[in-house]
Amino acid sequence: MSLPKPVMRGLLAKRLKFHLPIAFGVAITTALMYKFAVTEPRKKAYANFYKNYDAVKEFKAMREAGIFESVRPAGK
Amino acid sequence: MLRLTSSRLGSLLAGRPSAALTSSSKGRPASQQKVSDSVDMSRPTYYDRVDMPLPDKPYKDVLSDAEEKLKQKEKGPWSQLTNEEKVALYRLKFSQSYAEMKAPTGEWKTVLGGMLFFLGFTGLVVWWQRIYVYPPRPRTLEDDWKARQLQRMLDMRINPVEGLSSKWDYDKGQWK
């Protein structure tokens, strides 16, 4: 009946030493993946959309389609 | 209040709280109520539990003469006990072994069957409701209405950057 004394102290520190780098790594990786998979493409999409955007042309097209109530299509 | 009938004790140990709380002799006139063999809950009781291995008292405490003699023999060196005696001593102390406590009951078949049965019954109820209860279908779900709704959304340039209208080719009049 001579078992070694079990470890009584530093259990949380040991667990944190193992899990904290993993936690930080996962969090940072997730953030980076989101940035490059979602936000960067979105910013590019908006930049491309507005690069050659003609507001007046779009307005005329929408007016012809008859969706506005304040201006009717050009013929009427 | 501390007296517990054996039927309630059985259901308590099986882990079903509602059975223990219902009273079996409720509603009978006082002259008809009989005292079933009750257990004094103020004293330690025996229990078979997987998570609590050492009950408060041995299973059998009223011992016959032969059992008393066996208990006296137990006080001596155990190497002198035969295997049958050891098993007999175990059965005096405990009602069910761990293997017997953990033995599969097949209860899951009843649970699964009952669950599926009532799921099916619910399906029948929903079917009946669809015929007799539901109001008429809204006209906004007709194909023609939905097509005109989609056309209007495209005309309004809904979500032109990343969403709906960005997938429509306005010059060719078709999806990209």
Side-chain angles (χ1 to χ4, degrees), chain B residues 81-88:
Chain B
L81 293 168
T82 68
N83 276 346
E84 291 83 20
E85 285 174 335
K86 287 180 192 167
V87 172

Side-chain angles (χ1 to χ4, degrees), chain B residues 15 76 84 128 131 141 157 162 165:
Chain B
E84 291 83 20
W128 181 87
I131 299 171
L141 293 177
R157 310 294 195 268
E162 279 190 318
S165 303

Side-chain angles (χ1 to χ4, degrees), chain A residues 42 45-46 49 58 61-62 65 67, chain B residues 152 155-157 160-162 170-171:
Chain A
R42 187 169 288 164
Y46 271 80
F49 179 77
E58 293 292 317
M62 283 195 255
I67 59 156
Chain B
R152 189 173 152 79
D155 291 339
M156 291 199 284
R157 310 294 195 268
V161 182
E162 279 190 318
Y170 282 93
D171 301 318

Side-chain angles (χ1 to χ4, degrees), chain B residues 109-130:
Chain B
K109 294 179 215 163
T110 311
V111 170
L112 193 67
M115 200 183 80
L116 293 171
F117 173 79
F118 282 107
L119 210 60
F121 179 72
T122 307
L124 290 173
V125 171
V126 170
W127 184 10
W128 181 87
Q129 284 178 335
R130 199 175 282 197

Side-chain angles (χ1 to χ4, degrees), chain B residues 134-164:
Chain B
Y134 282 18
R137 215 155 169 260
R139 61 181 174 152
T140 55
L141 293 177
E142 290 161 17
D143 283 336
D144 176 54
W145 187 287
K146 290 202 291 190
R148 285 190 282 140
Q149 184 169 352
L150 177 59
Q151 180 60 56
R152 189 173 152 79
M153 283 171 76
L154 291 170
D155 291 339
M156 291 199 284
R157 310 294 195 268
I158 297 291
N159 287 334
V161 182
E162 279 190 318
L164 181 69

Side-chain angles (χ1 to χ4, degrees), chain A residues 43-54:
Chain A
K43 289 203 280 197
K44 281 208 196 71
Y46 271 80
N48 285 339
F49 179 77
Y50 283 110
K51 200 160 45 171
N52 300 318
Y53 184 66
D54 186 358

Side-chain angles (χ1 to χ4, degrees), chain B residues 5-8 23-26 28-38:
Chain B
T5 58
S6 45
S7 60
R8 288 189 217 177
S23 168
S24 54
S25 53
K26 210 195 286 195
R28 281 195 232 161
S31 53
Q32 280 185 19
Q33 282 177 345
K34 51 187 190 306
V35 179
S36 46
D37 40 302
S38 51

Side-chain angles (χ1 to χ4, degrees), chain B residues 39-53:
Chain B
V39 174
D40 188 359
M41 288 293 277
S42 65
R43 304 254 248 7
T45 53
Y46 176 79
Y47 48 80
D48 278 318
R49 285 183 66 136
V50 174
D51 53 341
M52 304 214 305

